[in-house]
Amino acid sequence: QVTLVESGGGLVQVGGTLRLSCTSSGRTSITNTMGWFRQAPGKDREFVAGITWPWHGENTVYADSVKGRFIISRDNVEKTVYLQMVSVLPEDTAIYYCAGRTNYFVQLTPASYGFWGRGTQVTVSS
């Protein structure tokens, strides 16, 4: 019903900047909340940032580990969600996933999201 595709990942140096994109297609009207998650090898998938669409009340939520460094935003016309990553750290290395849910609130658990992209690899090198 909803297809999400991430892009923009790659290799970036410590302290660098990267912007991830998530394009959506299909029944995008049911993805009222979007989120970014990441998962490193041997670790659980963790919440990074979330955002609601403006017609449901603008709201953003960030994990403590990325506050002040990452910014989540959206383009309503292009149906795209972005994650601007600034001052990246080695611990930011992970596969980043775009996720969507039908409810109007940002949730922190992966199980709360019903739609997922395949992920895009972000590697921070020194």
Side-chain angles (χ1 to χ4, degrees):
Q1 294 183 338
V2 178
T3 300
L4 305 176
V5 180
E6 304 95 337
S7 63
L11 180 65
V12 61
Q13 295 181 358
V14 170
T17 299
L18 201 66
R19 189 175 78 161
L20 306 183
S21 299
C22 173
T23 59
S24 60
S25 61
R27 296 184 61 194
T28 56
S29 61
I30 66 176
T31 54
N32 297 303
T33 301
M34 301 295 294
W36 285 97
F37 290 77
R38 66 187 182 186
Q39 186 168 23
K43 295 185 177 181
D44 294 333
R45 188 168 300 186
E46 65 174 348
F47 174 82
V48 177
I51 189 170
T52 59
W53 298 110
W55 45 86
H56 293 133
E58 184 175 299
N59 182 42
T60 57
V61 180
Y62 295 92
D64 290 339
S65 59
V66 304
K67 285 182 179 178
R69 297 190 300 117
F70 292 4
I71 299 176
I72 187 170
S73 61
R74 59 204 167 195
D75 185 320
N76 298 328
V77 176
E78 300 297 329
K79 299 179 180 179
T80 303
V81 179
Y82 303 95
L83 184 68
Q84 181 76 13
M85 306 169 62
V86 179
S87 300
V88 296
L89 302 170
E91 49 263 44
D92 293 324
T93 296
I95 299 176
Y96 283 72
Y97 297 91
C98 177
R101 66 193 302 264
T102 58
N103 289 9
Y104 307 135
F105 306 96
V106 176
Q107 297 290 338
L108 308 182
T109 60
S112 298
Y113 295 78
F115 309 102
W116 292 86
R118 298 189 187 92
T120 184
Q121 177 71 50
V122 173
T123 302
V124 181
S125 63
S126 59

